[in-house]
Amino acid sequence: MNKEKELIDKLIDLAFAEDIGDGDHTTLSCIPDTAMGKSKLLIKEAGVLAGIEVAKEIFNRFDPTMKVEVFINDGNEVKPGDIAMVVEGKVQSLLQTERLMLNVMQRMSGIATMTRKYAKQLEGTHTRVLDTRKTTPGMRILEKMAVKIGGGVNHRIGLFDMILLKDNHVDFAGGIDKAITRAKDYCKAKGKDLKIEIEVRNFDELQQVLDLGGVDRIMFDNFTPEMTKKAVEMVAGKYETESSGGITFDTLRDYAECGVDFISVGALTHSVKGLDMSFKAC
């Protein structure tokens, strides 16, 4: 079992545990176990659909006898009135899975919609939009899946799959040189093949990184577009470059036109609005 599936399975288990507890007494009290029915996923707002594959897993894990017919796949643009899927099975199962499926699909679709907007703003440049670790605890894998569905690129998934030396790491380590050298020594000692990225706050720190080398990517933290242009020229293609901090949708393209490779945007996941949809009997 890969880590992604393991985390999704654990999330589904926890979500059902917190929602159903010792039983959905509303449904169990008024719907016979033998009752069969169908529900449709009705889209109520324009956006990008994401989460269909996860929804199928939710239904399957709760009740493998449920039948899902998908009409619109992940990554497609949707509009009010669209029917994304129809699910058929026990009415008890339809009612008990409804909220979890909607919570996941609304959240993922909202993220995919926001990411698509940012990705389109970068069209014509070589810059790609990245997500961050500013995610909902426990839902990170799903939220990062939604970013990819929307046309963005995943930064590291967590603290385990990349080394990112940020300002606090540099300050606690005693400077740029020590932070990079220790990171490289650690990877060698542990047999880890991890990319190393370092955040710089000014041109002095950038020059220190360029003098020492040994990294894969340099992040320009809270640089203005003018500073970013100069920084990209200083790096001269030797390393990947990333802009981060204080970048809004309105300034996104200004940074891209400086030639930076990536722009990381916490807003893709930390404050996004869910896409409106409902699960209605049909």
Side-chain angles (χ1 to χ4, degrees):
M1 180 185 291
N2 65 37
K3 187 165 184 67
E4 185 174 291
K5 175 143 190 350
E6 181 185 350
L7 288 171
I8 292 172
D9 285 347
K10 285 181 177 178
L11 170 60
I12 293 173
D13 289 342
L14 175 61
F16 278 133
E18 72 180 359
D19 199 31
I20 295 176
D22 71 345
D24 172 9
H25 303 304
T26 309
T27 295
L28 297 176
S29 67
C30 64
I31 304 296
D33 178 55
T34 54
M36 304 296 287
K38 288 197 293 188
S39 291
K40 62 185 177 183
L41 182 62
L42 178 65
I43 305 301
K44 301 167 77 173
E45 183 179 4
V48 176
L49 192 71
I52 285 285
E53 294 304 313
V54 181
K56 286 162 65 176
E57 184 62 23
I58 289 168
F59 293 131
N60 182 64
R61 279 172 63 80
F62 187 81
D63 179 356
T65 68
M66 299 174 83
K67 296 175 182 173
V68 183
E69 187 176 4
V70 175
F71 300 110
I72 305 173
N73 289 306
D74 286 340
N76 287 323
E77 296 190 3
V78 291
K79 62 185 186 303
D82 283 348
I83 296 172
M85 65 179 166
V86 171
V87 186
E88 185 174 0
K90 289 184 176 181
V91 174
Q92 285 189 354
S93 296
L94 291 171
L95 291 169
Q96 290 177 93
T97 53
E98 173 185 338
R99 179 45 54 198
L100 174 54
M101 178 276 294
L102 283 172
N103 284 349
V104 166
M105 288 213 57
Q106 287 183 288
R107 178 81 181 156
M108 288 184 69
S109 296
I111 290 169
T113 299
M114 175 77 84
T115 305
R116 181 70 53 86
K117 179 183 174 186
Y118 275 75
K120 283 185 174 178
Q121 185 74 346
L122 294 173
E123 284 180 356
T125 73
H126 84 278
T127 308
R128 305 293 301 278
V129 65
L130 293 174
D131 54 25
T132 68
R133 285 170 51 242
K134 297 172 183 176
T135 54
T136 309
M139 285 193 69
R140 179 175 298 172
I141 290 296
L142 301 188
E143 293 180 349
K144 283 183 172 276
M145 283 171 60
V147 167
K148 289 179 76 173
I149 289 168
V153 176
N154 292 155
H155 207 297
R156 57 182 179 163
I157 300 300
L159 297 172
F160 57 88
D161 58 335
M162 182 181 185
I163 288 180
L164 174 46
L165 301 166
K166 302 200 76 172
D167 52 356
N168 281 339
H169 298 97
V170 170
D171 291 343
F172 280 127
I176 296 279
D177 287 16
K178 287 179 180 175
I180 294 175
T181 302
R182 288 176 184 173
K184 290 169 66 179
D185 290 347
Y186 175 90
C187 288
K188 187 174 181 182
K190 299 290 184 181
K192 296 281 187 187
D193 183 21
L194 297 172
K195 283 196 167 187
I196 298 175
E197 177 173 5
I198 188 160
E199 177 182 277
V200 297
R201 294 165 283 193
N202 50 56
F203 293 116
D204 177 55
E205 288 189 345
L206 174 57
Q207 191 59 57
Q208 289 179 54
V209 174
L210 294 175
D211 289 343
L212 184 65
V215 299
D216 298 282
R217 186 185 301 172
I218 303 173
M219 178 194 291
F220 311 133
D221 181 45
N222 283 303
F223 279 35
T224 64
E226 293 74 24
M227 292 168 68
T228 303
K229 189 172 187 299
K230 180 182 175 184
V232 169
E233 290 169 357
M234 287 173 66
V235 174
K238 293 188 183 76
Y239 307 102
E240 290 181 336
T241 55
E242 176 184 337
S243 289
S244 180
I247 301 168
T248 65
F249 180 77
D250 292 333
T251 61
L252 189 74
R253 188 148 187 120
D254 295 335
Y255 282 88
E257 289 173 351
C258 294
V260 71
D261 296 311
F262 301 101
I263 299 174
S264 49
V265 179
L268 297 184
T269 54
H270 71 53
S271 56
V272 76
K273 173 186 168 295
L275 194 72
D276 196 11
M277 58 186 74
S278 61
F279 200 46
K280 295 293 185 185
C282 61

